[in-house]
Amino acid sequence: MKKLIAVLLAGAMCVSIAACGSKAEEPAAAPAEAETPAEEEAAPEEEAKAPAEAGDSTAAGEVTTVAEGVLTMGTNAAFPPYEFYDGEEIVGIDAEIAGLLAEKLGLTLEIMDMDFSTIVTSVQSGGVDIGLAGMTVTEERLENVNFTDSYATGVQVIIVKEDSDIASADDLEGKLIGVQEGTTGHQYCAEDYGEENVLALPNGATAVQNLMQGAVDCVVIDEQPALSFVEANEGLKILDTEYVIEDYAAAVSKENPALLDALNAALKELKEDGSIQAILDKYIKAE
Ligand code: ARG
C-alpha cells in the first residue's frame, strides 16, 4: 500500500517534470492565482499546467517571506549529503539548492537547524518559509503544507551490522528498528512492524550510534545518508533491498501560494540549466 502511494506520487511528479521540460517559456502571469499542490494532488492531470502559469522568476520580487528580504529554511542538519555541518556552517545538497533558489528570488538565505519532526509545523506556523530537509512528499504532510515540484528521489534502506542475521525486510518482524523520529522511515516501520518494535531517535546519526552499540538491530533511513553513515562507521552494511521509493521536495506554507509558484518557477529554471543535476552529482557518487 505504502509502496503504491509512493509510486503514485512519484508518477505525479514525473508528469510535472516532463511538462516543465517540454514547455516553452511563457510570459509572467498572475502567480497568486495558480492552483495549489493540494488540488493538484487530487487531480494530477491538472498539475502539468501549474508551473507554466507561474511565469519566470523575475516576478519573484513580489513574494512575501517571514523576514523581509530573507528566505528562511528549516532543516535538520544531521542528514548527509543533503544537510550536514562543515565546521559551523550547514552545507549539502539542500543548502546549495536553497542558496540558488534564494538568489533567483532576490533573497538572502538563512538556514535554521531544528528537529526534523518540527519542520512541517514550523512552515505552517510561519517560523520558516520553507522546509528543505530531504523531505519526502507524503499525503499526510500534504494535509498541512504544500510541496514544490520534486528535485530528487529518495529510497528507504535498511542498515545492519555486517554479521547480522537480517537479510531483507522480511526478517524485521520482532526486531528492534532504529529510526529518525517523525520521518517516513519511522511511519512505515511503525505501520509494518508495530510501534513497540521501533526506537525513534532524534536524528540519523544517533540512530546509527545505537546500532553500533547494539541497542537496535537495524536502522531504516534514506539511502544517501545511509551510505555516508556506513562509510564513516566500520562494520555496517546496507541491505540490498529497497524498502520504499520516495520523492523529495520543499515544504511551503499553504498560506503562501505566491512563494510556492516563485520557487517552482526558479526550480524549473535550475533544472533546465543543469544546476540541480550538478549539485546532485557533486554530492552523490555514481555507482
Ligand atoms: N525522507 C525522510 C522523510 O521525509 C527523512 C528525511 C530526514 N531529513 C533530515 N534532514 N533529517 O521523512
Side-chain angles (χ1 to χ4, degrees), residues 93-106:
I93 294 170
D94 289 337
E96 289 206 23
I97 291 178
L100 293 183
L101 289 173
E103 200 179 295
K104 289 247 178 222
L105 271 60

Side-chain angles (χ1 to χ4, degrees), residues 43 71 107 120 135 142 155 163-164 177 231 245 256 277 281:
L71 182 70
L107 302 168
V120 166
M135 192 185 286
L142 278 165
V155 184
D163 58 1
S164 171
I177 308 167
E231 202 176 280
I245 300 177
N256 201 346
Q277 195 56 50
D281 291 347

Side-chain angles (χ1 to χ4, degrees), residues 46-172:
E46 291 292 311
E47 196 175 0
K49 281 194 272 162
E53 283 168 13
D56 70 34
S57 56
T58 52
E62 294 148 33
V63 300
T64 316
T65 53
V66 295
E68 208 187 322
V70 178
L71 182 70
T72 310
M73 157 180 162
T75 198
N76 170 252
F79 198 70
Y82 288 92
E83 41 268 331
F84 56 100
Y85 279 91
D86 178 12
E88 302 272 276
E89 201 193 347
I90 296 175
V91 296
I93 294 170
D94 289 337
E96 289 206 23
I97 291 178
L100 293 183
L101 289 173
E103 200 179 295
K104 289 247 178 222
L105 271 60
L107 302 168
T108 320
L109 177 67
E110 248 168 51
I111 304 181
M112 284 172 69
D113 192 10
M114 55 186 72
D115 283 343
F116 183 79
S117 54
T118 63
I119 298 175
V120 166
T121 335
S122 188
V123 169
Q124 261 184 304
S125 65
V128 297
D129 295 303
I130 58 169
L132 197 55
M135 192 185 286
T136 306
V137 180
T138 68
E139 305 207 333
E140 206 181 5
R141 289 175 186 156
L142 278 165
E143 283 172 18
N144 299 312
V145 287
N146 282 334
F147 278 100
T148 62
D149 294 330
S150 177
Y151 62 92
T153 304
V155 184
Q156 294 295 314
V157 297
I158 303 163
I159 311 178
V160 293
K161 284 200 173 167
E162 255 160 18
D163 58 1
S164 171
D165 60 350
I166 300 173
S168 80
D170 299 334
D171 302 329
L172 294 186

Side-chain angles (χ1 to χ4, degrees), residues 82 153-155 157 222-228 231 238-242 277 280-281 283-287:
Y82 288 92
T153 304
V155 184
V157 297
D222 306 52
E223 182 177 36
Q224 290 304 323
L227 287 166
S228 300
E231 202 176 280
I238 298 171
L239 295 184
D240 205 15
T241 46
E242 295 180 341
Q277 195 56 50
L280 292 170
D281 291 347
Y283 287 95
I284 299 178
K285 291 168 218 136
E287 278 165 34

